């Protein structure tokens, strides 16, 4: 009798939640973020601890550049599932975006937590590629006086190489390009392109030729290759 009671009372609610979650997910995938947000918020009222619902709401807030709202959602995810690397990575990402838009003094107070979040993601998941990319970006953009370090950026680029050869070449090319060593950057991007023929590698190399090296000939040659 207890099992029958459960089926009568709770099963329709489970089916409703699944159906509405799928609808909300499709709205998100279609880029209809306002509608998706409304749908996920309704679902969250029914199940306040649903990890995927909270994550989608954090992602939508991030896309809308509502950094404080995104920080709140990702912080909740970290608390609910502290062993999930991706939650720390996303939290560090939106915190970093908030720091970027804040005044310099406030931003300085946030940098350590941004860095710690990415490092935590790497420690929880040693194969986390995106967190290493984030650390590379952080270390090359920060002034040395507040923790910036090209050598540390290269360290994480080398780690990327072991996980993904193409990410290793692209990240090292990015570092070289950032410090205006364009010929070295070209070599790295070429290796990435020759390895995969990917659109990302092609675009990096093409943009380097057009906007940094001002070499229309190489850009044209790349187009026809």
């Amino acid at each position: 009798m207890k099992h029958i009671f459960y089926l009568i009372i709770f099963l329709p609610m489970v089916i409703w939640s699944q159906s509405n979650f799928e609808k909300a997910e499709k709205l998100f995938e279609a880029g209809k973020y306002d509608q998706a947000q409304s749908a996920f918020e309704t679902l969250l009222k029914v199940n306040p601890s649903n990890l995927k619902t909270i994550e989608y709401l954090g992602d939508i807030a991030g896309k809308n550049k509502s950094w404080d709202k995104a920080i709140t959602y990702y912080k909740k995810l970290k608390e609910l599932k502290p062993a999930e690397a991706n939650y720390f990575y996303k939290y560090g990402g939106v915190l970093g975006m908030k720091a970027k838009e804040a005044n310099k003094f406030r931003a300085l107070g946030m940098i350590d937590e941004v860095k710690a979040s990415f490092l935590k993601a790497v420690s929880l998941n040693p194969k986390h590629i995106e967190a290493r990319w984030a650390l590379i970006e952080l270390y090359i953009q920060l002034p040395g006086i507040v923790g910036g370090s090209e050598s540390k950026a290269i360290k994480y680029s080398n780690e990327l190489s072991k996980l993904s050869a193409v990410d290793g070449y692209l990240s090292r090319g990015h570092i070289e390009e950032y410090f205006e060593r364009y010929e070295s950057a070209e070599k790295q991007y070429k290796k990435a392109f020759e390895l995969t023929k990917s659109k990302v590698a092609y675009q990096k190399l093409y943009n380097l030729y057009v906007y940094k090296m001002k070499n229309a000939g190489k850009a044209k040659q790349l187009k026809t290759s």
Side-chain angles (χ1 to χ4, degrees):
M1 285 294 291
K2 285 183 180 179
H3 294 301
I4 293 171
F5 178 78
Y6 174 85
L7 289 171
I8 293 170
I9 300 299
F10 295 106
L11 191 57
M13 187 180 294
V14 172
I15 293 169
W16 176 88
S17 294
Q18 288 176 340
S19 173
N20 282 274
F21 183 87
E22 287 169 4
K23 288 177 184 175
E25 209 167 27
K26 285 178 181 177
L27 287 168
F28 179 88
E29 289 166 0
K32 298 176 180 178
Y33 300 125
D34 290 341
Q35 293 177 53
Q37 179 182 331
S38 179
F40 281 123
E41 284 173 346
T42 300
L43 286 164
L44 194 65
K45 289 174 185 175
V46 177
N47 188 353
S49 297
N50 185 280
L51 297 174
K52 285 304 296 180
T53 299
I54 298 168
E55 186 173 7
Y56 270 120
L57 284 168
D59 292 349
I60 291 167
K63 287 180 181 297
N64 290 332
K65 299 184 180 181
S66 300
W67 309 128
D68 286 332
K69 193 180 285 187
I71 286 166
T72 300
Y73 284 124
Y74 293 142
K75 188 175 183 180
K76 187 174 182 181
L77 286 172
K78 290 195 306 168
E79 292 166 355
L80 289 170
K81 195 174 180 182
E84 176 53 57
N86 221 35
Y87 298 158
F88 284 88
Y89 162 68
K90 289 189 173 184
Y91 177 79
V94 293
L95 193 65
M97 293 306 297
K98 182 179 178 179
K100 204 170 182 180
E101 294 182 0
N103 65 62
K104 288 182 180 180
F105 292 106
R106 192 176 178 191
L108 285 173
M110 300 164 72
I111 288 168
D112 285 345
E113 191 174 2
V114 173
K115 193 185 300 182
S117 297
F118 295 145
L119 290 170
K120 181 70 173 178
V122 170
S123 70
L124 288 170
N125 179 4
K127 294 183 179 180
H128 204 292
I129 287 174
E130 294 85 355
R132 283 181 174 81
W133 266 105
L135 284 164
I136 289 166
E137 197 65 34
L138 188 68
Y139 281 121
I140 62 174
Q141 289 202 22
L142 282 177
I145 196 169
V146 290
S149 168
E150 184 185 352
S151 62
K152 285 184 180 178
I154 291 171
K155 170 183 175 288
Y156 287 108
S157 176
N158 290 338
E159 287 184 11
L160 274 179
S161 296
K162 295 174 184 177
L163 299 172
S164 162
V166 68
D167 280 286
Y169 291 135
L170 287 172
S171 61
R172 188 56 186 266
H174 179 61
I175 294 167
E176 297 299 314
E177 182 180 356
Y178 184 86
F179 289 105
E180 300 182 4
R181 298 188 291 261
Y182 298 140
E183 288 185 4
S184 295
E186 179 189 12
K187 289 176 184 176
Q188 297 296 326
Y189 289 152
K190 268 187 172 181
K191 288 177 182 178
F193 183 62
E194 287 165 4
L195 185 68
T196 63
K197 301 295 182 185
S198 74
K199 289 183 179 178
V200 173
Y202 170 87
Q203 201 62 53
K204 287 284 186 183
L205 193 53
Y206 183 80
N207 288 347
L208 181 74
Y209 288 147
V210 174
Y211 301 111
K212 301 293 175 67
M213 299 179 79
K214 309 293 184 184
N215 193 322
K218 283 191 173 183
K220 186 178 180 181
Q221 187 178 2
L222 179 65
K223 268 191 169 183
T224 56
S225 63

